[in-house]
């Protein structure tokens, strides 16, 4: 059974850092493209970062230079290092697994974790 | 990159058909996926590659992409379908979500 469990969220002051983790089971994170998506309470989904199975990583403009996505294949986890936090980064952060890519451009996410809440406040 | 626009809300009576569209000025033909999110829960994939339904998703959920406008259709809408729905597409290593549509089953 595929499961994704996020951890690492919490209350942090502006300018601070956190490391979010997403523990995967039922599949290998290295075999799939994976993503982080955040959601401000009461608002919509916002894409944050994407990592392909080959290892290349991409970021939304709003987090570029501050966030770093990575994988720990030995622990089967997806990570997100978030630095220089701002109030507008306050959100629930979800990790999600990429589905089977059958057509060019047909990227989608078939399993999602419950999310971990990051609150940036002084 | 590009943006995806959805109607903020759609209302439907039980048993009727709900239609949610997703538009974007630079959408072109990009494959769309749709996610259902109920309060306090994480998103659930209901349609991918425009019109494919994951296992376990009821047949009343269908998707189409005509004229570069992805559309989610829920036939015979049930009360349990009341939720927020998001479209999503990918372009040049960027993932984009629509703003979401709140489906109300009256």
């Amino acid at each position: 059974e595929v499961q994704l469990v996020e951890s690492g969220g919490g209350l942090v002051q502006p300018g601070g850092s956190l490391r979010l983790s997403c523990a995967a089971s039922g599949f290998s994170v290295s075999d799939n493209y994976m993503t982080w998506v955040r959601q401000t309470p009461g608002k919509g989904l916002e894409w944050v970062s994407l990592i392909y199975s080959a290892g290349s990583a991409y970021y939304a403009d709003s987090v570029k230079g501050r966030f770093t996505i990575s994988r720990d294949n030995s622990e089967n986890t997806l990570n997100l290092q978030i630095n220089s936090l701002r109030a507008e980064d306050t959100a629930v952060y979800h990790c999600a697994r990429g589905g089977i890519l059958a057509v060019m451009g047909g990227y989608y996410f078939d399993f999602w974790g419950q999310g971990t809440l990051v609150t940036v406040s002084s | 990159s590009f943006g995806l626009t959805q109607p903020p809300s759609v209302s439907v009576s039980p048993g009727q058909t709900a239609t949610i569209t997703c538009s974007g000025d630079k959408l072109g033909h990009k494959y769309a996926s749709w996610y259902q999110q109920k309060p306090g829960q994480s998103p659930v994939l209901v349609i991918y590659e425009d019109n494919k339904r994951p296992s376990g998703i009821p047949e009343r959920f269908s998707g189409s992409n005509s004229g570069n406008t992805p559309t989610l259709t829920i036939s015979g809408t049930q009360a349990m379908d009341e939720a927020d729905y998001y479209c999503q597409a990918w372009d040049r290593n960027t993932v984009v979500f629509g703003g979401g549509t709140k489906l109300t089953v009256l």
Side-chain angles (χ1 to χ4, degrees):
Chain A
E1 181 189 7
V2 172
Q3 281 195 323
L4 296 166
V5 179
E6 300 94 336
S7 61
L11 174 63
V12 62
Q13 293 187 340
S17 299
L18 281 175
R19 184 175 180 81
L20 308 184
S21 291
C22 169
S25 56
F27 75 102
S28 296
V29 295
S30 59
D31 290 341
N32 292 71
Y33 58 99
M34 302 284 297
T35 197
W36 285 96
V37 174
R38 67 186 181 184
Q39 186 170 29
T40 303
K43 298 290 181 63
L45 303 174
E46 180 188 10
W47 173 69
V48 172
S49 182
L50 175 69
I51 186 167
Y52 294 107
S53 56
S56 52
Y58 298 87
Y59 303 90
D61 288 343
S62 59
V63 307
K64 203 172 293 183
R66 300 187 299 124
F67 290 17
T68 304
I69 192 172
S70 64
R71 293 185 306 233
D72 184 330
N73 295 339
S74 64
E75 296 289 329
N76 206 29
T77 60
L78 177 73
N79 302 306
L80 187 69
Q81 178 67 39
I82 49 179
N83 299 329
S84 304
L85 279 160
R86 307 166 180 168
E88 54 265 35
D89 295 320
T90 294
V92 173
Y93 286 72
H94 297 275
C95 64
R97 185 185 83 162
I100 295 173
L101 185 62
V103 294
M104 184 59 193
Y107 291 87
Y108 63 95
F109 304 98
D110 58 359
F111 285 93
W112 295 63
Q114 284 296 321
T116 185
L117 176 62
V118 172
T119 304
V120 184
S121 175
S122 55
Chain B
S1 64
F2 60 96
L4 298 176
T5 300
Q6 301 177 231
S9 62
V10 168
S11 297
V12 65
S13 300
Q16 298 304 301
T17 297
T19 301
I20 301 174
T21 57
C22 176
S23 62
D25 58 351
K26 299 179 182 178
L27 187 56
H29 186 94
K30 295 179 177 57
Y31 288 98
S33 304
W34 292 89
Y35 302 87
Q36 176 194 69
Q37 187 179 34
K38 296 181 179 179
Q41 299 183 18
S42 52
V44 173
L45 177 71
V46 295
I47 293 291
Y48 65 100
E49 290 176 15
D50 287 344
N51 55 21
K52 294 182 172 55
R53 197 172 49 247
S55 61
I57 300 302
E59 290 185 7
R60 63 180 181 274
F61 288 86
S62 63
S64 62
N65 191 341
S66 177
N68 298 326
T69 300
T71 301
L72 174 68
T73 301
I74 309 172
S75 305
T77 307
Q78 300 183 9
M80 68 173 65
D81 301 329
E82 188 163 285
D84 293 328
Y85 291 85
Y86 297 89
C87 61
Q88 173 255 310
W90 173 96
D91 180 56
R92 290 178 289 181
N93 304 313
T94 296
V95 176
V96 181
F97 288 95
T101 298
K102 182 176 183 58
L103 177 66
T104 301
V105 183
L106 301 167

